[in-house]
Amino acid sequence: MNNGLRLVWVYPDLLSTYGDQGNALVVERRARQRGLDVQRVDVRSDQPVPTSGDIYLIGGGEDRPQRLAAERLRRDGGLSRAASNGAIIFSVCAGYQILGHEFINDLGEREQGLGLLDVISTRGEGARCVGDVLADIDPQLGLEPLTGFENHQGVTHLGPTARPFARVRYGRGNGTGDGTEGAYNDTVFGTYMHGPVMARNPQIADHLLKLALDVNALPPTDDRWYEALRAERIAAATQPA
Ligand code: GLN
């Protein structure tokens, strides 16, 4: 990182439902709170994706914008080149499916993804996965529990080189029935959590910053608001109906 942290928000014109753009705001703010110089770059789908970013964020979207985004990202190649340079990529829902090998598009056809995560998404036969989620993040990452909101028809199957990002206590996650939620591999992450997920889970934003800075810890911030929100969501998810 020569000129501070470069944060790239990929395709806000196609992939930013459910306030996913808030993830960029949270990462940016938490970096600034630690005195880091942040340059945020919003890349529309008619622009090339820069390859020199440190952290890339990609959100969720409806089925048609998801197909258009996958086509343009494949054609552009910038995000894949950034990944092979070791960039950190965090993706949500449609963005997560696009990072996998393939998903079912709005025309009911198999659409090729970028293959940056070893996952395949199919179309769920059952009810759409909609609602609040509470999940335990992979203990290897050492992060607080994940709370969020999901809304997807796709079901995501993990291949051998993808680790489950979390395991659900409440909610559906990847929708396969095996309790997994999201996937990751080194510096590439995918989740079904909207919300935006970072506003509910700043521990994820901090994890990305630590990876970008190659440090084990960051200076503390005042997180009482986030902690109160997490406690409220955990209580709501675990309350008997
Ligand atoms: N279109 C995808 C699905 O339903 C992703 C939806 C989303 O991003 N919320 O599975």
Side-chain angles (χ1 to χ4, degrees):
M1 283 187 340
N2 303 326
N3 306 310
L5 185 87
R6 278 197 100 199
L7 174 64
V8 184
W9 172 236
V10 179
Y11 292 1
D13 53 327
L14 293 178
L15 299 174
S16 183
T17 45
Y18 311 106
D20 291 333
Q21 182 164 7
N23 292 334
L25 296 173
V26 175
V27 174
E28 199 178 349
R29 177 170 162 76
R30 292 184 77 79
R32 292 226 161 92
Q33 283 176 314
R34 273 57 175 258
L36 292 168
D37 179 21
V38 187
Q39 189 197 351
R40 173 168 157 190
V41 185
D42 289 10
V43 183
R44 290 179 52 91
S45 64
D46 58 355
Q47 298 172 325
V49 177
T51 56
S52 58
D54 298 295
I55 299 177
Y56 292 76
L57 300 174
I58 175 165
E62 293 84 16
D63 293 353
R64 185 165 182 274
Q66 178 176 353
R67 170 167 55 88
L68 298 179
E71 284 169 5
R72 291 174 194 183
L73 285 169
R74 284 200 311 267
R75 199 180 326 129
D76 177 69
L79 191 60
S80 300
R81 281 198 295 282
S84 51
N85 293 339
I88 296 149
I89 306 178
F90 188 88
S91 61
V92 176
C93 202
Y96 167 38
Q97 295 178 6
I98 290 172
L99 294 199
H101 299 297
E102 64 177 49
F103 62 89
I104 304 299
N105 68 18
D106 58 319
L107 310 171
E109 293 161 359
R110 286 161 61 178
E111 181 81 34
Q112 203 192 327
L114 301 181
L116 304 181
L117 275 174
D118 185 15
V119 303
I120 283 182
S121 298
T122 55
R123 184 157 283 272
E125 299 299 323
R128 201 172 168 84
C129 301
V130 185
D132 272 294
V133 176
L134 171 61
D136 295 307
I137 296 183
D138 185 352
Q140 284 199 4
L141 297 177
L143 301 175
E144 294 288 317
L146 173 69
T147 78
F149 177 80
E150 62 184 337
N151 184 352
H152 55 105
Q153 188 66 42
V155 166
T156 299
H157 306 264
L158 275 57
T161 68
R163 285 185 68 83
F165 181 55
R167 294 201 176 262
V168 293
R169 275 194 251 166
Y170 186 88
R172 306 279 295 282
N174 287 321
T176 51
D178 65 359
T180 63
E181 185 327 270
Y184 77 102
N185 175 14
D186 272 338
T187 56
V188 181
F189 298 82
T191 179
Y192 271 111
M193 299 302 95
H194 293 284
V197 66
M198 305 277 185
R200 288 183 171 206
N201 303 277
Q203 71 276 24
I204 297 175
D206 284 0
H207 185 69
L208 304 188
L209 291 173
K210 284 189 236 168
L211 286 173
L213 299 169
D214 199 16
V215 295
N216 291 324
L218 293 170
T221 50
D222 180 357
D223 285 344
R224 279 172 294 183
W225 185 89
Y226 292 109
E227 277 153 22
L229 179 63
R230 178 181 302 107
E232 179 195 296
R233 299 321 308 162
I234 291 177
T238 50
Q239 221 168 51

